[in-house]
Amino acid sequence: MERETWGSKMGFWLAAAGSAIGLGNIWRFPYLTGANGGAAFVFIYLLIVFTIGISVMIAEFTIGRNTNLNAVGAFQKLKAGPWQIAGWMGVVAGFVILSYYSVVGGWTIKYILSSFTDMISTSTDTTSYFLSFIANGPQTVLFHAIFMAIVIFIVYRGVGKGIEDTCKILMPALFLLLVILIIRAVTLPGALAGIDFYLNPDFSKVTGKTILAALGQAFFSLSLGMGCMITYGSYIKSKKESLPRSAATITLLDTGAAFLAGFVIFPTVFAFGAEPSAGAGLTFITLPKVFAMMPGGQIWSALFFLLLCVAAITSAISLLEVVVAYVIDNLKWPRHKAALIIGGTIFLLGIPSALSQGAVSINVLGMSFLDFLDFVANNILLTVGGLLISLFVGWVIPEIAKKETTAHGAFPFQPIWIWICRIVAPVAIFIIILGGFGLF
Ligand code: TRP
């Protein structure tokens, strides 16, 4: 059977942007910025994204389009031997990340619905509201199931009719929601203090930890290090399409979305005197409290969590597609069977994460099961994966890489790009790994 491809360049860009723009942009980026001192973190993040991040994305597209295969198959085809471990880790990461990502995706669905209840009321203690919801096992598993069912349905329909068509509708919708929410946020009385915190850097707050947080966030946000962009790159039809230009477009869209999400969160948080450094609870605990103080707060809350949910869905499908593409290409399963069985397995794997937030005590190394998987994925699977991918492109297939990135015409940054893949990115990633384990 012929392998599927994207219907158009725009379709590919929107699907890849859909993968990149997710909970990482709208939930994680603002709270990391808040917890790391604001604008100085943003500055460092941007620097990393436009040097290392974009380079690794070009590397992934190169591997994908050259082979037209999934993450594992691509490495196997290019070079026999241990390099395929990078692909295997990607498939494992797909399982692991999606299992808990879907749990948080489920929370967003719950919060859309609950926006119309007394969750959005000035007399509600939103901290205990959140904690008692995530400790409610049947509910978190139910919403995890609903979220996974949506994701499976889209991937089941295929690359063009499922992923691409969904992203063509949801990505413009997401942008529109973001614009509406920004207009509301920046016109609140007192919004200026939030914008000041967000845009006025205080470099005295920058430490080694800030840089590590920015590096890790760059990989997670751009969907790098696990073969997601290899898989999406493998569906590019035209050998003449510019990979550097595609990577630049997607990086800009992803960074733009994260940056804009900050313009929703910080003005809103400051306008109502909430704490920007609240950490992971910023979205689920602080914002409902803030919405309750706004006129029409229920609607704004529902719109915001809808935005979060849409972003999460278009990312989750890319995680499932990494694994599904592998079993389709290598094990020759039909797509329908692959989507249902793999998706179903990931749903089951997510149950312990769903329950680990208070329903049942499931702790590993002192972390809840969900946090443990997040830790393993971000600190080991994605980072080691990204390290191997850049070394592979820089040292093992440099000739193919040069050809793929100039198939459309000149790529003036090519020498810089190759050296980022060879040296800069691997060294930087190696440092993140050490830092992630608290080794310095
Ligand atoms: N980038 C997505 C986000 O920001 C999450 C994601 C999707 C991802 N696919 C990925 C992260 C692959 C790492 C690797 O929410």
Side-chain angles (χ1 to χ4, degrees):
M1 206 177 71
E2 197 153 319
R3 204 165 181 277
E4 295 170 270
T5 56
W6 304 113
S8 65
K9 181 166 80 181
M10 186 52 86
F12 158 57
W13 282 359
L14 289 177
S19 167
I21 300 170
L23 295 170
N25 301 60
I26 299 165
W27 167 62
R28 215 156 172 262
F29 176 77
Y31 92 66
L32 282 178
T33 302
N36 285 291
F41 175 82
V42 177
F43 180 82
I44 293 168
Y45 177 76
L46 292 177
L47 208 66
I48 291 171
V49 160
F50 285 100
T51 50
I52 297 173
I54 198 171
S55 298
V56 176
M57 192 181 292
I58 299 172
E60 290 206 22
F61 285 160
T62 297
I63 296 174
R65 185 177 65 180
N66 184 261
T67 58
N68 291 118
L69 283 171
N70 66 89
V72 176
F75 281 100
Q76 289 171 336
K77 180 171 172 189
L78 288 169
K79 179 97 190 160
W83 285 102
Q84 56 174 295
I85 290 172
W88 282 110
M89 281 188 349
V91 170
V92 172
F95 267 98
V96 171
I97 299 178
L98 183 52
S99 75
Y100 71 83
Y101 199 86
S102 166
V103 171
V104 181
W107 297 353
T108 67
I109 299 180
K110 157 80 179 178
Y111 266 60
I112 298 171
L113 303 176
S114 294
S115 292
F116 299 104
T117 69
D118 66 356
M119 175 177 89
I120 304 300
S121 146
T122 45
S123 57
T124 300
D125 174 355
T126 56
T127 307
S128 45
Y129 185 92
F130 178 65
L131 294 179
S132 69
F133 161 59
I134 61 174
N136 182 332
Q139 275 214 28
T140 50
V141 172
L142 172 72
F143 285 107
H144 163 53
I146 297 173
F147 187 87
M148 260 328 279
I150 298 171
V151 172
I152 291 170
F153 176 74
I154 297 168
V155 170
Y156 179 97
R157 289 176 52 87
V159 173
K161 283 213 168 60
I163 301 174
E164 182 171 349
D165 286 358
T166 305
C167 290
K168 272 193 198 152
I169 299 170
L170 290 188
M171 293 315 286
L174 182 123
F175 185 72
L176 186 71
L177 281 171
L178 203 50
V179 170
I180 294 173
L181 286 161
I182 290 171
I183 294 173
R184 172 67 281 195
V186 301
T187 53
L188 289 167
L192 226 58
I195 297 176
D196 185 58
F197 170 81
Y198 190 40
L199 297 185
N200 222 337
D202 174 1
F203 286 101
S204 68
K205 298 231 173 73
V206 175
T207 63
K209 264 210 151 70
T210 322
I211 300 172
L212 291 178
L215 267 163
Q217 172 64 11
F219 267 75
F220 187 85
S221 186
L222 294 170
S223 298
L224 299 176
M226 58 157 289
C228 206
M229 294 303 180
I230 294 179
T231 307
Y232 273 23
S234 77
Y235 299 131
I236 302 174
K237 200 163 18 181
S238 162
K239 292 284 175 200
K240 290 264 171 285
E241 208 161 296
S242 166
L243 298 182
R245 186 175 309 140
S246 295
T249 307
I250 291 147
T251 304
L252 275 173
L253 288 172
D254 182 66
T255 310
F259 191 63
L260 292 178
F263 278 103
V264 177
I265 311 271
F266 294 113
T268 312
V269 163
F270 274 79
F272 292 95
E275 216 10 85
S277 58
L282 188 61
T283 305
F284 290 99
I285 295 173
T286 310
L287 283 183
K289 202 178 313 180
V290 166
F291 288 134
M293 290 185 265
M294 280 165 57
Q298 296 200 326
I299 306 277
W300 295 112
S301 170
L303 285 177
F304 176 80
F305 288 105
L306 182 66
L307 171 79
L308 203 56
C309 182
V310 166
I313 287 172
T314 56
S315 298
I317 56 184
S318 73
L319 290 162
L320 181 55
E321 182 62 20
V322 170
V323 188
V324 164
Y326 161 69
V327 292
I328 292 177
D329 291 341
N330 281 34
L331 309 183
K332 309 285 175 237
W333 287 18
R335 171 170 287 275
H336 289 180
K337 175 178 161 192
L340 288 170
I341 293 185
I342 304 291
T345 310
I346 292 176
F347 162 68
L348 295 177
L349 205 70
I351 292 177
S353 290
L355 296 179
S356 71
Q357 301 299 297
V360 185
S361 172
I362 312 171
N363 290 314
V364 188
L365 303 177
M367 289 176 259
S368 78
F369 193 65
L370 192 158
D371 292 321
F372 171 71
L373 292 186
D374 188 48
F375 178 84
V376 171
N378 286 316
N379 291 290
I380 304 172
L381 298 172
L382 293 185
T383 48
V384 177
L387 181 87
L388 295 177
I389 288 166
S390 23
L391 288 175
F392 185 77
V393 168
W395 297 104
V396 183
I397 57 158
E399 292 316 315
I400 290 177
K402 284 178 189 161
K403 206 181 76 213
E404 283 291 340
T405 49
T406 47
H408 63 287
F411 173 30
F413 297 107
Q414 193 185 64
I416 303 179
W417 171 63
I418 289 277
W419 283 101
I420 289 180
C421 289
R422 286 182 172 166
I423 308 273
V424 181
V427 169
I429 298 166
F430 189 64
I431 296 171
I432 321 179
I433 299 175
L434 296 184
F437 286 99
L439 293 182
F440 62 88

